[in-house]
Amino acid sequence: GMNQKPGVCTFCGTGCGHFVGVENNRITRVYPSQNHPISKGRLCVRGWNIHELLDTPERIRKPLVRADGGFKEVSYDEAVGRLVDVLKKYPPESIGFLASPRSSNEEHYLLMKLARAAFKTNNISLDSDSGHRASLNVLHAGTGMAGMLGSVEEIRKAEFILVAGIDITRQNPIIGSEIHMAERAGAMVVTLDSRRTQIAKLSKKFLQVKPGANKLAVLALAKTIYDENLSDAAFLSAHTEGFEKFRHAFGLLPDNEVADRTGVPVEEIKAVARDLAKSKSAMVFFSSGISGLDEDTIGYIYNLFLMAGKVGKEGCGVNPVAGLNNLQGGYDMGLAPDLLTGFQSLADAAVTKKFADAWKADVPSAPGTPVYEMLSNQSSKLKALVVVDHDEGIVRYADAIKKLDFVAYVGAFKNPFAEYAHVVLPVATYVQEDATFTNTERRIQFSMKKIEPEDGLLPGWKLYSMIAGKAGQAWKYTKVSEVMDEIARLTPSYAGVSHSKLSTGFGMQWPVDEKNPQGTGRFDVAKAGRKLSFYKVSDVFEVPAAKEQFPFLLMVGKAQHFWHQNNLMKKTHIPMREYNATLMDYPEGYVEICPQSAKEIGVRDRWPVRVVSPHGEMRVAAKVSDDVKPNTAYAPYFVQEMISRFLLGHTEVLRQGEDATIPVRIEKV
């Protein structure tokens, strides 16, 4: 018979609640959870279809090792033996671990422990762009909290909401919907972006900046607040330090250049600055991770909100939004070359000693190198790589990966990446074991086991324990809840967390500790116990300029379709249908240009064009739209291989995230 079990949607970082229908050890349908505090009975098109993913036939069923040009099925014992024998041959600096932002906290933690305790390497990274780490660096330095300062539940209490460079109704639809609800209840919603996104169309005000001018527009907002004496002076003197250094940057921005350099009339910027300063409560949302802003721009945004007194109060928050479901949890679990759990620094000898004592193993203290940095550096020492559950973005580095001596792949689903592996280790899916996930607002949620793993498939915690055992570390976990107990002992922000405590209710937002036994909805200045610091930002704001031979600035957007082309999306039918509908219109992918540009080039919608940059070219269709301005163009990242190949020549540019632009010319074919 059918039975319904509660759970957490794991498509994006919002962390909506659902129930799944279980029949004969299979997941056959999904329902929204009516009283979940975030989703409140809603799911987006992805969430409504997650049962298809969880019931996909595209599973890896048996451990595999490469033999005679193909793979042969072997026992876990043999596959794990091969992995450990090979890794033991290499010095720690030649081994890398690339974690997945989709794994549970328990699996994240054990992978991190495995790399450090068993293989002595700090070359550990999360598979995601650097955007989320940049956000956490800013927020941690400024407030001591390495996570979203606000809370999704308080969005409707914000009088002013700034959405900066994130296509939020597409990327995190439920959070986008909360912002839209707040606006309908009277909030002033302002979008700052180079392209007219869906949220820009729904906003009361839209500041359409030139590509790459986000930071400059934020600085102009801050300068207005300062020049017009609108900052919260009492808040600044009582609660903050370091404002003078930030103020220095204003002096470098002459008023008469603002409009020209941002593309937005000065009066529009000033009006928004006044709206922000005069509101009682305000929040800002920006993309983090999949196409994040750079650290400097995030620093400017945080400083602007601090200066306006909109940090640490009800209905306030500087809110990076994670595109992937456990990206925040990955950083919480220390999946970074220089961090242990809870943003504790490896450079802190007392912290390293605490972990070494608990693990009964030496912990290397010199920071490792990020894996993507090693893959893009020709002279890197990387020889062996262990990769967990990757989306196809990794294929950007295919050439470097093929040159490695050894690659191991750990995952539940078939993936083109597994073709590069020498050893493939399957794991059970997240519904086949108890697990916790931490969403974009620091909410740690418990996901109970719903079905049994297929014959012989190990959950991640058992597989990692088995690898550790063969590598000479005896881990004594008898159940997965003991992994969370260990995390809680070693991590101040998770100190009060346990599976039993999380198994009732809808999760808890860290810090969960003696002072906050029920968790912490949002950062509270009254409890901070310290002054809030302005972030140390640069005063360099060069706006990229198009060149004579390349008059268009091409923006690379990942939000609109990034979740379609990835490995998970290809296993769900309805979202795939939506994606395929776009491809029917634009089978070769598209580049978006405005009607005026189309006229100048001499093309119409769907006509073929050639996009040429200093590094390469691609042929795609023109998509004519009012959403971009003259001399700017937009290409969605993951539509079709051709665009992906073209972008491979621009990896350096893409590292800049949301502000990345490529000078191109666009010609009629």
Side-chain angles (χ1 to χ4, degrees), residues 258-334:
V258 170
D260 185 46
R261 293 174 67 182
T262 61
V264 181
V266 176
E267 269 318 307
E268 283 184 32
I269 288 180
K270 289 187 170 173
V272 168
R274 292 170 198 135
D275 292 334
L276 166 60
K278 288 173 180 161
S279 61
K280 275 199 206 55
S281 51
M283 287 190 177
V284 55
F285 293 87
F286 50 91
S287 181
S288 194
I290 204 82
S291 54
L293 300 164
D294 67 359
E295 194 159 316
D296 215 29
T297 305
I298 296 163
Y300 273 80
I301 290 172
Y302 162 78
N303 287 354
L304 167 69
F305 274 67
L306 190 59
M307 179 182 168
K310 303 298 187 282
V311 170
K313 300 174 184 170
E314 187 177 49
C316 292
V318 177
N319 301 326
V321 178
L324 294 160
N325 67 304
N326 210 27
L327 182 56
Q328 177 65 49
Y331 286 109
D332 293 350
M333 293 302 115

Side-chain angles (χ1 to χ4, degrees), residues 68-140:
D68 313 322
F71 282 113
K72 71 170 195 208
E73 291 187 359
V74 296
S75 65
Y76 270 110
D77 196 57
E78 186 178 331
V80 167
R82 170 86 59 101
L83 171 79
V84 172
D85 287 346
V86 172
L87 291 186
K88 284 286 185 192
K89 286 185 189 135
Y90 289 103
E93 64 271 19
S94 296
I95 303 173
F97 284 80
L98 197 47
S100 161
R102 299 186 179 282
S103 299
S104 68
N105 287 320
E106 292 77 10
E107 288 175 339
H108 276 328
Y109 173 78
L110 292 182
L111 184 75
M112 183 276 292
K113 181 177 179 178
L114 188 65
R116 291 188 157 119
F119 299 106
K120 308 299 175 205
T121 185
N122 284 324
N123 299 335
I124 311 172
S125 305
L126 266 172
D127 169 34
S128 75
D129 299 330
S130 55
H132 200 62
R133 177 64 196 270
S135 304
L136 301 185
N137 287 346
V138 170
L139 299 175
H140 184 254

